[in-house]
Amino acid sequence: YNNRQPLSYFNVLDLIDLSKYETVTVDERYLSDKDTGTAQLIGIKSAKNTGKTELIARKVQKLVYQGQQVIVLTHRKQLAITLAHRFGIDYRTEIKTSVIGGALGYALCIDSLHPHANPPFNPDEWREAVVIIDEVEQVLWHLLNSKTCENNRVAIISSFKQLLQTVVGTGGKIIVADADLSPIALDYIRALIGFPIETYVLENKHNPNQGKRKVVSYSGNDPIKLVTRLVKAIEQGHKVLVHTTGQKAKSKWGTINLESDLKKKFPTARILRIDSESVAEPNHPAQGCMGNLNVIVAQYDIVICSPIVETGVSIDVEKHFNSVWCIAYGLQTVDAVCQTTERLRDHVIRHIWVKATAKNYRIGNGSTSVKSLLYSEHKTTRANITLLQQADIDEFDDLDVNYSPESLFTWGKRACVVNEGQGNYREAVLNKLRESGYEVSYFKEEDKTSETLVNESLKQTRKSNYQNHNKDVSDVDSPTPELLEELKNKRTRTKTERLQEKKGKLEKRYGVEVTPELIEKDDKGWYNKLTLHYYLTVGNIYLAQRDKQSLETLTANSKGFAFKPDVNKKTLSAKVKALEELDIKQFLNPFAKFTASSLAGWLEKMIQYRYEILMLLGVTINPTDDSAIAVAQRILAKLGLKLNLLNTRGSRKDKQRVYGECQLNDDEREAVFSSWLERDEKAFSRETVRTLC
């Protein structure tokens, strides 16, 4: 690093500029069939609501009629089911019971594109087939970055690569479509194929929203202004479609609490909540609604959706909803937020609140430089593997962490685009909407009285729902290990089953009694903080074995290969080593006292290694503005700890604040540490412990 920010390979905008490809440009309201000639890779870039999915559906029907197999890949199960039924083919799990048994092809989430899935996927069975990937940018990002693909990512990438090569090599075709289609997706597919392939790119310049769509943007650190305006609109008799990032009872602005609060305010209104829980809950009005949205939502005055209604779903009802409302807290990418606002095709006004920045949800080291991001991943992986080797764990000496360079490079490029958007989240979303034809205006009215009333009401609703939820979880019967495994794999779950699953996971995670207080701490990210503290201190002797176990799980189905970002997410050795080298343990001494002057030398060290600290711990250090205490507090926060202000000393002109007494058990973490020590002692033999010592 040489204490300098590495240069970028690219300007981020260059990564998504499609002009590098020769494209056929059209300007049509709705896409019609085009003669793609002999091209085997066909890309379609066309704005939302211009019939991309409908065009693909027509092509699928023709292919099926001709007896050609079709495989449809998505990034969400509900979307895969919806597309399967729309295209007239089976969904993955329907093959065994279907009359045609998947003979015409089937749809599946890319998570299941590997030989260990049920049913197992075999790329060799798809000779001369057609691969269809709608919303391809999000599907490929899900493939390369989602947690749900983590333990099978290498197997999925291998199957995906083999599928593409098999299809193209036997005369089949690949059709990809996205409103935001970029070279990132096209380059990646061509790189996986590995040999020249004729490519046809259709870009539709028509913008169906131009002059027809308006969006009102709301400022502030939270969406209270938007929600207050939403309540007023409902009072005036408006029917509304609400999109929000959160879902759980802990989320003040999530689907559960918005539904509860609006039901109290409007007891006669017909309200429907659509999220991952409601669509999978037996007898809930939203169960199975994703394949029949147009019919179902038309029966309700207020529809509240989580990001489950984000891409690949079209709500085509007209003159039913008066407006669309969107709350974006930074958990979605910029493209995903804009996709969400487009789910209703009707040209009604949109209202949107977007968090100003979303830096807490950035990828890797948060860089927008591909070179910096990948260098960080390379260095962290090397450190983790080296530290395991130094602990005499040699099982991973031959682990190939350079698996699929094209996949890692694509991950890096897309991560930079995501990081760029998250850094200036609100303006990035609004600029994207402007590009999509929206006229953006800003809400300037103030009604502090109404805002206070709405805020207090939601606060009380959230408090009541969250307390009841936590009590329900702690009171429900604990599941047996067998039942817990069964609940994890169930497609539909009752409320009681959901509560049991959560309790079982928490019992397994912490090894102590599940109380409402424990649930709340877990929801605030307690587990990751405790884990880092434990392996830095009392559990350090088991760190190498813990990382060994994590990598064994990660590589169980990978045949000696690993994807670097996954290695770095699953292992802690490099992070703990960094904390040790930075002398963070000095702050864990309950009797030690610190001042800015006593930490002057330590601060110089922090500034010297600030890029490595950002890379390994995700902590930013400003060499000109940050004090030693501020840096220490920021790093200690990663452990869920902090220094307390004890007193001040010195003259008025040279006053110094004294900090210390870092409370190590304020949150009763020692009980968890005792449980974890007992767990690890049972898991790892005394001989192993002596070897590590």
Side-chain angles (χ1 to χ4, degrees):
Y1 263 72
N2 298 323
N3 294 328
R4 292 182 300 177
Q5 187 71 25
L7 298 175
S8 171
Y9 276 139
F10 305 104
N11 180 297
V12 169
L13 293 178
D14 294 337
L15 298 175
I16 56 176
D17 183 4
L18 198 62
S19 62
K20 67 176 286 187
Y21 278 92
E22 290 186 18
T23 61
V24 176
T25 304
V26 298
D27 193 354
E28 299 176 353
R29 177 66 182 85
Y30 289 106
L31 286 171
S32 56
D33 290 302
K34 300 292 177 183
D35 181 13
T36 58
T38 58
Q40 288 184 281
L41 173 58
I42 302 159
I44 304 170
K45 180 175 183 177
S46 188
K48 307 163 189 72
N49 198 24
T50 51
K52 293 187 298 300
T53 307
E54 181 56 35
L55 173 64
I56 293 173
R58 292 197 302 269
K59 287 189 175 293
V60 169
Q61 289 167 3
K62 290 179 182 178
L63 294 168
V64 169
Y65 182 77
Q66 296 166 0
Q68 192 164 14
Q69 279 189 311
V70 175
I71 180 165
V72 178
L73 300 177
T74 73
H75 63 305
R76 289 196 170 162
K77 182 169 69 174
Q78 291 293 336
L79 179 57
I81 295 171
T82 300
L83 290 180
H85 296 165
R86 186 171 180 179
F87 295 163
I89 57 178
D90 293 324
Y91 172 62
R92 177 179 67 90
T93 58
E94 298 170 342
I95 294 174
K96 293 181 179 179
T97 57
S98 169
V99 175
I100 56 176
L104 303 176
Y106 62 89
L108 72 159
C109 187
I110 201 164
D111 299 58
S112 303
L113 195 81
H114 59 86
H116 315 290
N118 183 21
F121 181 81
N122 183 0
D124 293 331
E125 295 176 353
W126 297 92
R127 299 173 64 83
E128 302 180 15
V130 175
V131 177
I132 292 174
I133 314 176
D134 198 5
E135 312 292 354
V136 64
E137 296 287 344
Q138 295 198 53
V139 172
L140 296 183
W141 181 233
H142 183 85
L143 162 66
L144 297 174
N145 194 65
S146 73
K147 186 173 180 61
T148 56
C149 291
E150 200 172 66
N151 289 339
N152 290 299
R153 196 170 331 267
V154 168
I156 296 170
I157 292 173
S158 296
S159 292
F160 186 48
K161 180 175 184 175
Q162 191 177 344
L163 170 67
L164 298 178
Q165 291 176 338
T166 299
V167 166
V168 172
T170 55
K173 292 180 183 289
I174 302 163
I175 302 174
V176 299
D178 202 295
D180 303 301
L181 183 66
S182 75
I184 295 177
L186 296 173
D187 289 351
Y188 181 46
I189 290 172
R190 289 164 63 91
L192 286 177
I193 292 170
F195 50 83
I197 176 175
E198 186 177 346
T199 304
Y200 177 102
V201 179
L202 171 67
E203 182 173 10
N204 184 6
K205 294 287 190 178
H206 178 77
N207 192 333
N209 297 331
Q210 200 70 49
K212 299 178 181 178
R213 290 277 177 93
K214 295 182 178 181
V215 61
V216 180
S217 173
Y218 292 74
S219 61
N221 296 324
D222 61 41
I224 185 58
K225 294 182 189 298
L226 178 141
V227 176
T228 302
R229 185 70 180 270
L230 168 65
V231 171
K232 288 183 178 179
I234 298 171
E235 287 173 346
Q236 294 167 6
H238 290 197
K239 295 179 180 178
V240 298
L241 175 62
V242 183
H243 295 278
T244 183
T245 302
Q247 172 194 325
K248 305 297 184 185
K250 68 175 181 176
S251 173
K252 180 178 177 181
W253 315 100
T255 56
I256 290 174
N257 289 316
L258 283 177
E259 178 194 35
S260 296
D261 196 65
L262 292 176
K263 277 185 173 180
K264 287 189 293 185
K265 286 183 170 66
F266 307 101
T268 61
R270 297 168 299 170
I271 302 177
L272 178 66
R273 171 172 57 90
I274 303 176
D275 55 31
S276 60
E277 289 186 359
S278 64
V279 298
E281 182 178 322
N283 302 318
H284 192 285
Q287 186 194 13
C289 71
M290 297 300 291
N292 198 23
L293 270 179
N294 290 326
V295 173
I296 292 175
V297 299
Q299 301 172 26
Y300 291 88
D301 306 313
I302 303 169
V303 178
I304 306 169
C305 308
S306 75
I308 195 172
V309 181
E310 179 184 271
T311 58
V313 176
S314 180
I315 303 177
D316 301 308
V317 295
E318 294 183 356
K319 298 180 180 179
H320 177 73
F321 294 110
N322 299 100
S323 52
V324 175
W325 305 74
C326 182
I327 297 171
Y329 244 100
L331 300 177
Q332 300 164 278
T333 64
V334 170
D335 287 348
V337 175
C338 296
Q339 288 269 12
T340 297
T341 64
E342 288 285 325
R343 291 313 93 201
L344 179 68
R345 305 308 192 184
D346 206 3
H347 292 298
V348 299
I349 192 168
R350 268 67 173 168
H351 298 260
I352 188 169
W353 175 85
V354 185
K355 193 175 182 183
T357 63
K359 294 182 179 180
N360 290 340
Y361 305 106
R362 292 196 291 181
I363 310 300
N365 67 358
S367 177
T368 57
S369 157
V370 179
K371 184 177 182 179
S372 171
L373 195 71
L374 295 183
Y375 176 76
S376 171
E377 294 299 317
H378 295 321
K379 193 171 182 180
T380 304
T381 302
R382 186 165 64 247
N384 279 310
I385 298 299
T386 299
L387 288 168
L388 286 176
Q389 291 171 337
Q390 291 174 356
D392 292 332
I393 293 177
D394 55 10
E395 284 90 335
F396 306 105
D397 288 357
D398 297 325
L399 181 65
D400 188 347
V401 294
N402 294 310
Y403 173 77
S404 187
E406 60 270 23
S407 297
L408 183 62
F409 194 44
T410 302
W411 175 87
K413 289 191 286 186
R414 176 52 64 185
C416 285
V417 175
V418 172
N419 288 340
E420 176 73 18
Q422 304 300 87
N424 195 12
Y425 195 53
R426 180 179 294 161
E427 281 307 307
V429 169
L430 295 180
N431 287 336
K432 187 79 175 180
L433 290 174
R434 289 188 184 98
E435 292 172 8
S436 301
Y438 280 82
E439 177 187 330
V440 178
S441 62
Y442 295 89
F443 183 76
K444 297 179 180 179
E445 297 176 26
E446 293 253 353
D447 187 348
K448 292 293 185 183
T449 302
S450 296
E451 288 177 20
T452 301
L453 291 173
V454 171
N455 197 32
E456 284 302 314
S457 176
L458 259 172
K459 189 185 296 184
Q460 290 303 316
T461 298
R462 186 259 182 196
K463 181 179 179 181
S464 175
N465 282 344
Y466 193 44
Q467 286 177 343
N468 291 338
H469 169 76
N470 291 352
K471 186 175 186 305
D472 289 343
V473 173
S474 61
D475 289 347
V476 77
D477 291 338
S478 298
T480 62
E482 295 76 20
L483 177 58
L484 179 59
E485 194 62 32
E486 181 184 330
L487 291 174
K488 288 179 184 177
N489 297 321
K490 287 191 71 171
R491 286 184 60 184
T492 62
R493 285 186 289 273
T494 64
K495 180 180 178 180
T496 299
E497 288 174 331
R498 286 200 310 271
L499 296 173
Q500 280 189 299
E501 183 186 12
K502 181 163 186 176
K503 184 170 186 177
K505 287 180 177 178
L506 290 172
E507 287 176 333
K508 186 176 180 180
R509 171 175 277 191
Y510 292 102
V512 296
E513 180 186 359
V514 175
T515 63
E517 293 74 25
L518 175 68
I519 298 166
E520 185 171 356
K521 286 186 284 192
D522 181 71
D523 285 337
K524 292 178 179 178
W526 201 46
Y527 178 73
N528 289 335
K529 296 172 183 177
L530 256 63
T531 300
L532 202 53
H533 183 190
Y534 172 76
Y535 286 111
L536 174 65
T537 55
V538 294
N540 188 257
I541 195 172
Y542 299 111
L543 173 61
Q545 288 294 333
R546 180 262 180 206
D547 279 359
K548 172 189 173 185
Q549 197 172 66
S550 295
L551 286 182
E552 285 175 344
T553 301
L554 183 67
T555 58
N557 297 325
S558 69
K559 299 179 180 178
F561 296 98
F563 194 55
K564 282 181 181 176
D566 291 334
V567 172
N568 296 334
K569 290 174 188 174
K570 296 288 279 188
T571 51
L572 287 177
S573 291
K575 285 185 178 181
V576 171
K577 185 66 174 177
L579 291 171
E580 291 174 343
E581 293 294 321
L582 298 174
D583 197 18
I584 298 303
K585 285 185 179 180
Q586 66 176 314
F587 301 110
L588 306 186
N589 181 348
F591 305 107
K593 294 179 175 59
F594 307 95
T595 64
S597 58
S598 72
L599 291 173
W602 179 82
L603 179 60
E604 288 182 10
K605 185 177 182 180
M606 298 302 101
I607 293 173
Q608 180 184 354
Y609 293 107
R610 64 187 181 276
Y611 295 122
E612 284 79 2
I613 292 170
L614 175 62
M615 176 178 71
L616 292 169
L617 302 175
V619 173
T620 303
I621 297 175
N622 187 320
T624 57
D625 295 336
D626 283 336
S627 67
I629 296 297
V631 172
Q633 298 284 42
R634 215 170 290 157
I635 296 176
L636 286 171
K638 294 290 180 179
L639 311 177
L641 301 171
K642 68 174 183 177
L643 296 171
N644 292 304
L645 176 62
L646 302 179
N647 54 59
T648 58
R649 66 188 183 196
S651 64
R652 291 180 61 184
K653 293 183 179 180
D654 187 27
K655 187 175 292 186
Q656 292 229 358
R657 294 183 175 184
V658 181
Y659 289 82
E661 293 185 4
C662 188
Q663 301 299 319
L664 304 182
N665 196 37
D666 264 4
D667 50 10
E668 301 178 344
R669 61 181 63 193
E670 287 185 0
V672 177
F673 288 176
S674 295
S675 171
W676 287 355
L677 280 171
E678 184 179 346
R679 172 201 67 190
D680 289 345
E681 285 172 0
K682 291 179 180 178
F684 308 124
S685 68
R686 293 184 180 277
E687 181 61 35
T688 301
V689 173
R690 282 196 294 271
T691 302
L692 290 174
C693 289

